[in-house]
Amino acid sequence: MLSFGAARTRLGRVATRSILRTRARHFSSTKSTSSNLTRYILTAGAISTSGLWWLITPRDGVPHLESPPTDHLVAEHGPSKEEVTRMISQDAYSFAVKNVAGVDRYDGTQLASNSLCEDRFTHGKLPSPLNDGSQWMTWAVFDGHAGWQTAELLKDQLLPFVRHSLSQVKPTSDEKNVPEELVQNAVIKAFVDLDDAIIKTALETSQSSESLQDKIKKLAPGYAGSCALLSMYDSASSKLHVACTGDSRAVLGQKGPDGKWEAIPLSVDQTGSNQDEIARIDKEHPGEEGISKNGRVLGMMVSRAFGDGRWKWSLDLQQELKRRFGAPSPLTPRYNVQTPPYLTAEPVVTTTKIDPSRPSFLIMATDGMWDVLSNQQAVDLVGKWVESAAGQKGSSTPEPEYEPFDFGEFRKDEDWRFKEGKTTVQDDNAAVHLVRNSLGGNHHEMVAGLLALGSPFSRNIRDDMTVQVAFFNVPGLGNK
């Protein structure tokens, strides 16, 4: 683009010829064209003959519209192979980790289906909350539902709550290190305290003297909901603490003496299909039949979550919030709400010692990925990525030829699950590698088809995906 000074000089020489040529053009109604047109004519008019402005621009400033072609529609093409890579990589990140013993690198990415995406994530390095002078690493994914507001709050507030709770933990007088149980209890307390701040302050907020807009903003995280999966690695003890609320999932891949990668689950999905969760809920609500039905808890897929006030507030409060602040309608009369809360944000926390003599990696993802990949499939995929020149681009096998495909195939002899024969290694980011393979791997038409459909219709075939992969004691990855 010419500078303003250069434009003036050039326009001074050719003003009349350029302006007369412009008279014959038709202009679209786009903002950029209108803006450029206005700037061009104002400059030209100031230099030469301003009266020509009125010859080519309507007096009322309304843009002229071009007539579109009427003989056929101009259709867009679906994503090419290059566009597929761009779409699944545009929110990717990768960090080589320095000065945290045992951690080499971590990768991540996010692929939205909803608009706005309802998933959130966080990651990074922090001083040990146990105040022992060491460094910790942390990764977290938050799978929102019925909106993004709860997940957004968790992204900003969950880790500070956990760090504060852990800072209150002290080792006993006869122990050098803080016992695992105390760490786990502190994490549990932080999760519950934050959800209480979301849910139990609703009545206080509704009765406060704050403005209507401030009240609505504060109440929004209670209307929506979110799962939370938080991993914290203590480099001093080589222990990985994983806290799960909901159905996002963490899996450890560990290389065995035979060279095979073993999948070790670090969390279990908390849903209405989990028999342990069903038993827990039935015990908490004796005499209430049908709370858990068809894999759902009063219609909700997960059995633990942050927010989701309709499963936690009293019916009176739900009705008041609906009337005064536009909250979602209560679950009644469709569901028989008698003794809320029916959901809890209390996490299940596991602690795993990372063996420094064995290469391993942590996979964390929201359920959009786990809907189509098993634990072992995900671990095998990352294992292949590690062993394929540490993630360097280029698959070692040619791409197979597939018959023309559409989603009706899933109603025949196919299903949505990943097939090992579709494995491809072509991405230099392990999380992107997982996303590509969960969408169809080397079957380009399948992958591109899943990405071609935009929101809101894409939710019929895929969910938001957020994936993180952290590598422990894997030589050669830190500098890639």
Side-chain angles (χ1 to χ4, degrees):
M1 179 180 291
L2 293 172
S3 68
F4 181 74
R8 290 187 58 186
T9 301
R10 184 176 180 182
L11 284 170
R13 292 196 302 263
V14 297
T16 303
R17 183 179 61 200
S18 299
I19 293 172
L20 291 176
R21 184 185 301 121
T22 304
R23 293 178 57 188
R25 297 177 181 172
H26 292 285
F27 295 96
S28 70
S29 61
T30 63
K31 181 178 179 181
S32 60
T33 302
S34 178
S35 176
N36 291 338
L37 170 65
T38 302
R39 184 166 57 251
Y40 178 87
I41 296 176
L42 283 174
T43 305
I47 295 170
S48 55
T49 158
S50 59
L52 288 176
W53 166 273
W54 303 109
L55 297 179
I56 61 175
T57 303
R59 290 180 179 273
D60 59 6
V62 177
H64 284 179
L65 300 177
E66 294 182 355
S67 298
T70 56
D71 56 341
H72 67 280
L73 293 176
V74 180
E76 294 185 15
H77 293 286
S80 66
K81 292 181 180 180
E82 292 75 18
E83 288 167 334
V84 164
T85 297
R86 179 188 58 78
M87 293 172 73
I88 64 177
S89 303
Q90 62 185 359
D91 292 319
Y93 51 91
S94 182
F95 293 92
V97 179
K98 309 295 184 182
N99 304 319
V100 181
V103 184
D104 301 301
R105 161 181 167 166
Y106 66 90
D107 296 355
T109 196
Q110 184 174 80
L111 178 65
S113 180
N114 291 290
S115 181
L116 298 166
C117 180
E118 294 180 342
D119 283 4
R120 296 292 187 272
F121 60 89
T122 191
H123 53 85
K125 179 169 60 175
L126 67 153
S128 168
L130 301 179
N131 300 312
D132 59 9
S134 66
Q135 291 287 316
W136 284 31
M137 291 295 304
T138 187
W139 306 273
V141 296
F142 309 106
D143 185 357
H145 48 260
W148 50 266
Q149 292 86 349
T150 314
E152 179 73 16
L153 184 146
L154 295 180
K155 175 181 71 70
D156 295 333
Q157 296 295 329
L158 183 59
L159 188 58
F161 266 71
V162 170
R163 293 179 67 179
H164 174 74
S165 185
L166 284 171
S167 70
Q168 309 303 307
V169 175
K170 306 296 179 185
T172 58
S173 57
D174 58 342
E175 291 182 292
K176 181 180 179 180
N177 298 317
V178 175
E180 291 178 6
E181 184 180 1
L182 294 183
V183 172
Q184 293 175 353
N185 289 339
V187 174
I188 291 171
K189 182 179 186 301
F191 274 53
V192 173
D193 286 350
L194 178 53
D195 193 53
D196 284 349
I198 296 171
I199 295 299
K200 293 185 178 180
T201 59
L203 180 59
E204 177 183 340
T205 299
S206 69
Q207 296 178 346
S208 73
S209 59
E210 296 178 89
S211 66
L212 173 62
Q213 59 268 34
D214 288 346
K215 290 179 181 178
I216 289 175
K217 291 292 284 187
K218 283 188 175 182
L219 290 168
Y223 302 162
S226 181
C227 303
L229 181 64
L230 172 70
S231 292
M232 304 184 78
Y233 175 72
D234 179 353
S235 64
S237 65
S238 298
K239 290 181 179 179
L240 180 66
H241 306 286
V242 177
C244 177
T245 292
D247 61 357
S248 296
R249 192 185 308 168
V251 178
L252 185 71
Q254 190 173 70
K255 196 168 190 177
D258 59 358
K260 294 182 179 180
W261 293 93
E262 177 188 4
I264 304 171
L266 303 181
S267 68
V268 176
D269 298 355
Q270 300 155 357
T271 69
S273 299
N274 182 321
Q275 293 302 313
D276 291 337
E277 288 293 282
I278 293 173
R280 176 184 62 81
I281 293 171
D282 288 344
K283 183 178 180 180
E284 292 174 355
H285 303 275
E288 295 186 52
E289 304 296 333
I291 295 176
S292 301
K293 188 176 181 180
N294 298 324
R296 296 178 176 268
V297 179
L298 298 180
M300 175 64 71
M301 179 73 74
V302 293
S303 55
R304 304 190 190 209
F306 284 84
D308 289 320
R310 289 183 293 170
W311 285 262
K312 299 173 182 178
W313 288 322
S314 69
L315 186 57
D316 288 343
L317 179 57
Q318 291 186 57
Q319 292 171 336
E320 179 183 357
L321 295 178
K322 168 67 175 176
R323 177 177 59 85
R324 297 178 59 200
F325 305 109
S329 298
L331 296 180
T332 56
R334 183 176 181 182
Y335 299 105
N336 185 18
V337 177
Q338 298 182 41
T339 58
Y342 294 98
L343 302 182
T344 178
E346 180 178 327
V348 174
V349 184
T350 62
T351 299
T352 304
K353 178 83 170 182
I354 300 298
D355 186 344
S357 67
R358 300 176 67 180
S360 58
F361 49 79
L362 167 69
I363 302 174
M364 296 176 55
T366 54
D367 69 331
M369 189 190 81
W370 299 116
D371 286 342
V372 293
L373 288 180
S374 69
N375 291 357
Q376 189 62 57
Q377 285 175 325
V379 166
D380 288 343
L381 283 167
V382 176
K384 286 184 174 67
W385 182 91
V386 170
E387 292 159 4
S388 179
Q392 294 302 295
K393 291 183 179 180
S395 177
S396 58
T397 57
E399 183 176 308
E401 294 290 334
Y402 289 99
E403 294 294 325
F405 173 85
D406 62 50
F407 299 132
E409 299 299 315
F410 293 126
R411 295 170 176 83
K412 298 177 183 177
D413 55 354
E414 291 273 347
D415 61 37
W416 293 96
R417 306 293 299 182
F418 174 72
K419 300 295 190 300
E420 185 178 357
K422 295 187 176 75
T423 300
T424 184
V425 181
Q426 56 181 290
D427 302 291
D428 57 11
N429 181 298
V432 173
H433 168 72
L434 280 173
V435 169
R436 183 191 297 275
N437 280 280
S438 69
L439 293 172
N442 61 27
H443 194 330
H444 169 69
E445 188 173 21
M446 180 177 175
V447 176
L450 286 166
L451 295 176
L453 199 60
S455 177
F457 309 108
S458 57
R459 281 295 286 114
N460 295 327
I461 54 176
R462 62 182 178 88
D463 197 359
D464 297 331
M465 290 187 195
T466 301
V467 184
Q468 296 176 330
V469 184
F471 296 93
F472 305 93
N473 310 303
V474 182
L477 285 185
N479 297 322
K480 295 296 182 182

